[in-house]
Amino acid sequence: MSAQHPVTLSPTAQPAEAAHPNQFALLRQRRFAPFFWTQFAGAANDNLFKFAFTVMVTYQLSVSWMPPALAGLVIGALFILPFLLFSATAGQLTDKYEKTRIIRFVKNLEIAIMLVAGAGFVAGSAAILLGCVFLMGLHSTLFGPVKFAYLPQALNERELTGGNGMVEMGTFVAILLGNVAGGLLVALPAIGHTTVAVACLALALLGRLVAQFIPPAPATDPGLTVNWNPVSETWRNLKLAHGNTVVFRSLLGISWMWFFGAVFLSQFPSFAKDVLHGNEQVASLLLVVFSVGIGIGSLLCEVLSRRHVEIGLVPLGAIGMSVFSIDLYFASRSLPPAEIMGLAAFLEHGAHWRVMLDLALLSLFAGLYSVPMYALIQMRAQPTHRARIIAANNILNALFMIASSLIAGALLGAGFTVPQIFLFTGLANAVVAFYIFLLVPEYLLRFVAWVLSRFVYRFKVQGDEYLPAQGSAVLACNHVSFVDAVLLMAASPRPIYFVMDHRIFRIPVLGWLFKLAKAIPVAPYKEDPQTYEAAFERAAQVLREGDLLAIFPEGGITRDGRLQEFKGGIMKIIERARADGVDAPVVPMALTNLWGSFFSRIEQGGAMVRPLRRGMWSRVGLNVGAPIAAAQVQPEPLRERVAGLLALG
């Protein structure tokens, strides 16, 4: 991603297809596999330890000062507390020091904690184990920023979504396996406590062993002076995150996902018992279904995003989360009273399968929602501050999860049922998502582009490795239809600012979308000199700020399908940028096979006359050429380059 990273952690020199055919192939590469298994072992150990302790104090120990009904709440609160207290410090340490060094320190700490916890299990001491819960929360707090700050240094942009999907999937599988193993091991007659102690220590040792093979990941801000005051640093981290609007609102979006998930996870036991009339095995089945759904959704992100950071999946995920949460209410509210049943009896009822399908799909869409947001934050956050941004995310996550517990508890206390809480959560998700997408229209725009490029057209991009991952550039493309800009959005993982004919803004729906995208209207100088000059000033500003600017040098949509003469506007943009000290390269591009589609001007009556003229899912493409240095750009040679790309078909 960045030139400052060493060769061992910079796979960008080769195309992602050559590096690996899919995200699973990352498990064969040293830059990813040891890290993946280290975090997997840590997540499994966290949950094995916590769940075994919860079962022990609920069923096996009599602790007068901690009633069984409060055990889960106390353990959960103690585990989350370090995230509030120490996330800001953890973010600073991750930015300041080499990341692999921090990972190994954290795994050494885990071994020490598990030695103490082992003594607590053997002695049956709830006090010792509560102290270890807090320390394991500290362990996870320290690991959180490095976990997400490491990936952008190890993976390129085309691998980032797949890598995050693998980590998300691995985390939920580890949570599931840890909970199952903790419950089974602690229940073993006579040897349960000792077995849990040995298992926790073994997982800690395994994680530390694998961490030894993680390659170095250099510090991104070694000169940072650490502020040890958690209150002032927490506030500073939140202000730092707030400085980048898209990143900060993405943090809020992720935190909302944790709020959403915490509501469901916390209510599974009572939902299984009081609504579904199932026993502990049914409650465990709900956890399995939820975890598998998250895992599948996380893995689907790479496939659906064409191996780019595709935030267009976020609205799709939000829609699915709401739809299936609401349907879960309708599926579960009319179940007849019954005796508590086991797993086999539960699965015999067809109505229960609808409940499980709703649960699987809402969690699958939650995976589609969260993974692109994490990848976006990693890609857009300033590298020197990335870990502190992740730390701010962890603080917000903890606050949102605490809020979810308090709100769910208040609703239950007010007499609402668990299905009603699920309904409220689904409706609230729709409102929150809509609000976030209005605040950050890029999500909505990318969703429209994603839908258009997959469900209206079959869109294939060639040469997308030439799209700059960072820095300013001018994208020069032929102009074939009214949706050219939307297709270019779909091809680029970065936002693009378009210079477009002012008349296109008058078209219903499309005009609103382009205004939302902050496209730059331009008019001929003779027609509107003020709009003409303002367009070039805004274009220069886009390049000064290091963003991508797209222009259609023909000056309008072709009326006969042929490439028109390139006008001089692109030269004026380049000259204005160079006057500002910005030598932005020009990337030639050609949209192919769009002429004759619904959105082109092939019909005598104008565009968009015969909707199904070429049917649905017609093949269209974008060919991207190698960048041209600003000093070498001239309209006619640039047109010839675009014509050559157009001839590739």
Side-chain angles (χ1 to χ4, degrees):
M1 291 286 290
S2 174
Q4 67 182 337
H5 302 148
V7 175
T8 54
L9 279 179
S10 190
T12 53
Q14 54 183 327
E17 289 84 358
H20 68 284
N22 57 53
Q23 56 202 330
F24 292 101
L26 288 171
L27 291 175
R28 298 195 296 270
Q29 300 188 26
R30 188 186 166 198
R31 62 198 169 101
F32 182 80
F35 166 79
F36 174 85
W37 292 115
T38 298
Q39 70 86 29
F40 185 94
N45 207 12
D46 271 346
N47 289 277
L48 190 157
F49 165 70
K50 285 192 297 176
F51 195 69
F53 179 34
T54 304
V55 171
M56 190 175 83
V57 295
T58 302
Y59 295 103
Q60 299 172 357
L61 293 182
S62 178
V63 183
S64 59
W65 46 270
M66 187 168 63
L70 293 177
L73 181 62
V74 171
I75 291 170
L78 266 180
F79 188 80
I80 289 176
L81 183 58
F83 284 91
L84 297 174
L85 297 178
F86 304 118
S87 283
T89 304
Q92 293 178 92
L93 296 175
T94 301
D95 278 333
K96 182 176 178 63
Y97 296 108
E98 196 271 319
K99 292 173 181 57
T100 307
R101 177 181 169 190
I102 294 177
I103 292 173
R104 291 170 185 162
F105 169 78
V106 171
K107 302 317 286 183
N108 289 337
L109 176 63
E110 183 183 355
I111 292 171
I113 296 168
M114 287 301 104
L115 284 170
V116 178
F121 275 115
V122 172
S125 172
I128 291 176
L129 291 172
L130 281 174
C132 290
V133 167
F134 179 85
L135 291 174
M136 283 303 286
L138 175 62
H139 153 273
S140 296
T141 300
L142 294 172
F143 190 73
V146 73
K147 171 181 174 180
F148 288 106
Y150 173 86
L151 288 175
Q153 288 186 249
L155 306 178
N156 65 33
E157 185 274 327
R158 298 197 61 169
E159 298 167 321
L160 200 53
T161 294
N164 274 284
M166 290 293 291
V167 169
E168 189 89 345
M169 177 275 299
T171 299
F172 275 88
V173 170
I175 289 170
L176 177 62
L177 294 178
N179 282 330
V180 171
L184 292 175
L185 293 179
V186 78
L188 292 174
I191 61 169
H193 295 188
T194 303
T195 306
V196 169
V198 171
C200 288
L201 182 59
L203 273 174
L205 290 169
L206 179 64
R208 177 61 182 87
L209 176 65
V210 178
Q212 195 61 36
F213 297 95
I214 301 175
T220 52
D221 190 5
L224 175 68
T225 301
V226 176
N227 173 17
W228 297 99
N229 184 328
V231 177
S232 63
E233 187 59 27
T234 294
W235 181 247
R236 193 163 76 178
N237 278 9
L238 292 173
K239 287 174 63 179
L240 184 67
H242 192 265
N244 185 322
T245 302
V246 173
V247 168
F248 182 72
R249 287 171 179 164
S250 298
L251 298 184
L252 294 177
I254 288 174
S255 297
W256 170 256
M257 194 277 293
W258 282 102
F259 178 104
F260 179 92
V263 169
F264 285 87
L265 289 170
S266 65
Q267 298 305 317
F268 279 166
S270 58
F271 182 59
K273 180 182 177 183
D274 300 331
V275 179
L276 302 180
H277 315 295
N279 63 6
E280 296 88 341
Q281 292 177 325
V282 173
S284 298
L285 176 65
L286 299 182
L287 177 62
V288 170
V289 170
F290 190 87
S291 300
V292 169
I294 287 277
I296 293 173
S298 300
L299 294 177
L300 280 175
C301 287
E302 183 180 69
V303 177
L304 295 176
S305 66
R306 290 201 188 101
R307 298 170 69 178
H308 280 299
V309 176
E310 180 51 84
I311 62 174
L313 294 177
V314 175
L316 177 66
I319 291 168
M321 288 161 67
S322 284
V323 167
F324 293 105
S325 298
I326 294 167
D327 191 67
L328 183 60
Y329 162 74
F330 289 106
S332 58
R333 69 170 182 164
S334 57
L335 293 175
E339 296 294 326
I340 296 297
M341 64 188 82
L343 188 59
F346 175 81
L347 294 175
E348 288 176 358
H349 291 268
H352 294 158
W353 285 92
R354 178 182 170 187
V355 169
M356 289 191 294
L357 182 63
D358 281 333
L359 196 57
L361 289 173
L362 76 86
S363 58
L364 183 151
F365 280 99
L368 293 179
Y369 174 94
S370 64
V371 168
M373 275 197 174
Y374 275 117
L376 176 75
I377 291 167
Q378 291 162 341
M379 189 173 75
R380 300 275 183 92
Q382 188 177 341
T384 54
H385 297 75
R386 188 182 286 132
R388 278 168 281 175
I389 299 295
I390 298 299
N393 177 60
N394 291 341
I395 294 165
L396 290 171
N397 290 351
L399 291 172
F400 273 66
M401 284 191 286
I402 291 169
S404 79
S405 298
L406 295 174
I407 292 171
L411 289 173
L412 288 171
F416 290 99
T417 65
V418 173
Q420 286 173 332
I421 290 174
F422 292 165
L423 173 65
F424 297 155
T425 305
L427 294 172
N429 180 71
V431 173
V432 170
F434 181 73
Y435 180 65
I436 289 174
F437 302 147
L438 282 182
L439 290 177
V440 188
E442 187 181 347
Y443 283 111
L444 185 60
L445 293 166
R446 293 302 296 254
F447 176 62
V448 172
W450 184 83
V451 170
L452 183 71
S453 64
R454 284 162 178 79
F455 297 102
V456 177
Y457 298 117
R458 282 192 287 175
F459 185 50
K460 183 178 181 181
V461 183
Q462 298 186 74
D464 56 346
E465 65 271 16
Y466 293 124
L467 291 170
Q470 53 190 359
S472 60
V474 179
L475 312 180
C477 188
N478 60 323
H479 207 357
V480 194
S481 77
F482 288 99
V483 294
D484 292 352
V486 181
L487 290 173
L488 294 189
M489 283 183 211
S492 172
R494 295 174 60 193
I496 302 174
Y497 296 89
F498 294 89
V499 179
M500 304 178 72
D501 189 316
H502 68 295
R503 289 169 293 186
I504 206 168
F505 291 85
R506 301 172 191 161
I507 299 173
V509 182
L510 284 176
W512 173 76
L513 279 174
F514 294 141
K515 287 177 184 175
L516 205 59
K518 298 181 181 177
I520 304 166
V522 63
Y525 183 82
K526 292 181 180 178
E527 182 180 330
D528 188 343
Q530 187 174 357
T531 299
Y532 177 85
E533 290 296 338
F536 286 103
E537 176 54 38
R538 175 71 182 112
Q541 181 186 355
V542 168
L543 295 176
R544 282 197 304 270
E545 293 173 354
D547 291 319
L548 297 179
L549 178 76
I551 184 171
F552 301 104
E554 296 167 274
I557 298 173
T558 178
R559 293 183 177 274
D560 57 10
R562 290 181 292 183
L563 188 65
Q564 309 298 306
E565 177 186 352
F566 279 17
K567 302 193 181 328
I570 190 168
M571 298 307 301
K572 183 166 183 176
I573 288 172
I574 292 170
E575 289 164 8
R576 288 284 294 270
R578 296 186 76 182
D580 292 335
V582 179
D583 278 315
V586 175
V587 180
M589 314 170 83
L591 285 161
T592 63
N593 207 34
L594 261 173
W595 178 249
S597 72
F598 173 48
F599 295 102
S600 66
R601 281 177 162 159
I602 193 171
E603 300 292 350
Q604 292 296 322
M608 297 177 275
V609 175
R610 292 169 57 193
L612 298 178
R613 186 179 190 280
R614 276 182 23 187
M616 297 291 287
W617 297 292
S618 58
R619 294 179 182 274
V620 300
L622 175 69
N623 296 330
V624 185
I628 306 169
Q632 299 174 2
V633 175
Q634 289 297 326
E636 188 53 34
L638 177 62
R639 181 185 178 279
E640 291 174 3
R641 290 284 292 272
V642 173
L645 293 170
L646 199 56
L648 296 177

